[in-house]
Amino acid sequence: MIYGYDFSLKAGASYFKSKQCLNKMTKESKYYLSDEYTDSANPVICLVKFVSKPFLISTLLGNLHFSSLYQFRMMETEGNDHKIGDTYEGIYPCDISKRSHKLTKEKFEPKFPYAKIHNWHMKPVATEKGYGLSDQDAKKVGLASFYVLRKSNFDNVNVSADSLKENKMALHKLNQMVLNMMHNFNQEGRIPVIVPMMKDVIIMFKQNSEYQDLVNYVDEKSPAESTIIDKINENSMVAAFFKRNKYKEQLEYRFINNMENINNTGLKHFKGLEHYIFPVRNEDLKNLRMSWVI
């Protein structure tokens, strides 16, 4: 269980200063991630959003921009954008003509419960791309995305073994692989803003979004997994959390809301987000140091 965070943008961040700050944070704030909300073997540590400079202040004030799944489909179909756009948005990519029974319900990846939202009135359809939302239904579903950083994306910073044993805490830095992936994704040089995934943050996200979860990346040529088809039939929104393997380096974590509840600018205010979100420079990502109680 993760009890709290401290962060620094200094490459030589003091372990003992971090421990002091972290102890203060955990005593006063009692932040934690529980197994109910995340994969205990590889928990979500923080989310990163790459923001264009004109929208930075608005984002830091807690405003997130939502676009419909249909808009992302059109970005690739009509705008020839193969990076952000995706004609498969809202569709579980698969060979729907074939079925597989390898995936059990126990191994089904999404961690968050998908409660039925009856007023959405959506029914999944089979297409040549797979199984999921029609164009009409895709227009109803608003999406805001973050880059997700999990425990496996961090390396320990070298501190003494005695300190680790005594304090059960370590400093961590982003590993080079994920730094390279983030650099490749953010060629435009947008500004990274970071949100630590603490309990209060998770509660705030749940209060402001109808669905949230990690994206699952799959091979669109593989047979349809019966377990996934069953889940989509139970709640068609499950289809919004699958993408093709070509996007897997985007490490996406997404939030879903009904576009009817989003204003005409596409912005939705997440009350409380402004207390947790902070910006860094791209060149400082390699110097980001985070710590958490193990």
Side-chain angles (χ1 to χ4, degrees):
M1 186 175 290
I2 298 173
Y3 285 91
Y5 293 86
D6 180 42
F7 64 88
S8 170
L9 294 177
K10 297 180 180 178
S14 165
Y15 166 76
F16 294 102
K17 181 179 179 181
S18 294
K19 176 179 180 295
Q20 183 180 17
C21 294
L22 180 61
N23 283 344
K24 181 179 180 182
M25 174 180 281
T26 55
K27 288 177 181 177
E28 294 181 359
S29 304
K30 302 296 184 184
Y31 295 139
Y32 67 91
L33 285 176
S34 74
D35 293 343
E36 178 185 353
Y37 294 110
T38 190
D39 182 353
S40 59
N42 190 21
V44 174
I45 302 301
C46 61
L47 304 180
V48 181
K49 193 165 188 66
F50 296 98
V51 182
S52 298
K53 192 172 182 180
F55 307 109
L56 178 61
I57 298 300
S58 177
T59 304
L60 294 177
L61 291 174
N63 300 308
L64 297 184
H65 186 268
F66 282 77
S67 298
S68 74
L69 297 181
Y70 181 76
Q71 287 175 277
F72 287 105
R73 291 182 183 181
M74 291 300 99
M75 287 173 66
E76 184 171 28
T77 302
E78 298 181 356
N80 203 32
D81 182 342
H82 304 293
K83 180 178 179 181
I84 304 299
D86 183 2
T87 58
Y88 285 68
E89 275 294 358
I91 294 174
Y92 161 46
C94 62
D95 182 349
I96 195 65
S97 66
K98 301 176 182 178
R99 287 296 178 96
S100 170
H101 304 278
K102 295 180 181 179
L103 183 66
T104 63
K105 291 184 178 180
E106 291 74 20
K107 293 183 178 180
F108 185 58
E109 178 63 20
K111 303 298 177 184
F112 286 78
Y114 294 94
K116 292 184 178 180
I117 305 296
H118 296 287
N119 61 341
W120 286 50
H121 301 299
M122 297 190 297
K123 184 177 180 179
V125 296
T127 72
E128 72 279 1
K129 295 182 176 71
Y131 195 64
L133 304 179
S134 66
D135 281 349
Q136 191 62 37
D137 285 340
K139 294 177 181 179
K140 304 175 185 177
V141 181
L143 167 66
S145 297
F146 282 77
Y147 208 96
V148 63
L149 296 175
R150 304 174 75 175
K151 183 178 178 181
S152 59
N153 299 126
F154 288 83
D155 289 336
N156 285 353
V157 177
N158 288 331
V159 294
S160 71
D162 290 340
S163 294
L164 286 175
K165 183 177 180 181
E166 177 184 351
N167 300 298
K168 297 182 181 179
M169 187 198 75
L171 287 180
H172 305 268
K173 63 180 180 180
L174 293 172
N175 61 43
Q176 192 58 50
M177 180 180 293
V178 77
L179 285 171
N180 291 342
M181 291 165 62
M182 294 168 78
H183 174 75
N184 292 337
F185 176 73
N186 187 32
Q187 290 291 316
E188 301 83 2
R190 290 167 293 167
I191 301 167
V193 296
I194 298 177
V195 184
M197 276 292 258
M198 301 181 283
K199 181 186 179 182
D200 287 5
V201 176
I202 293 172
I203 292 173
M204 177 272 299
F205 278 143
K206 291 188 72 174
Q207 290 173 340
N208 288 280
S209 58
E210 299 195 42
Y211 299 93
Q212 59 171 306
D213 210 337
L214 297 158
V215 168
N216 299 266
Y217 299 97
V218 297
D219 181 359
E220 70 271 25
K221 296 180 182 179
S222 294
E225 285 287 350
S226 294
T227 296
I228 296 175
I229 298 298
D230 290 344
K231 290 290 184 180
I232 294 172
N233 285 332
E234 291 174 10
N235 186 343
S236 54
M237 201 59 62
V238 173
F241 292 90
F242 287 89
K243 287 180 74 73
R244 290 171 286 170
N245 277 331
K246 63 178 285 188
Y247 296 96
K248 64 183 179 182
E249 290 194 358
Q250 294 185 3
L251 301 181
E252 190 179 350
Y253 192 100
R254 50 179 47 181
F255 298 89
I256 296 291
N257 274 306
N258 194 323
M259 287 301 291
E260 293 181 356
N261 301 325
I262 307 295
N263 65 36
N264 55 13
T265 66
L267 293 178
K268 177 176 173 58
H269 181 65
F270 278 51
K271 185 178 180 180
L273 177 59
E274 66 273 15
H275 300 306
Y276 303 99
I277 194 169
F278 63 92
V280 302
R281 298 182 303 175
N282 279 289
E283 56 267 33
D284 281 332
L285 284 171
K286 66 179 182 298
N287 295 328
L288 178 68
R289 300 291 184 266
M290 299 192 75
S291 56
W292 56 85
V293 174
I294 302 170

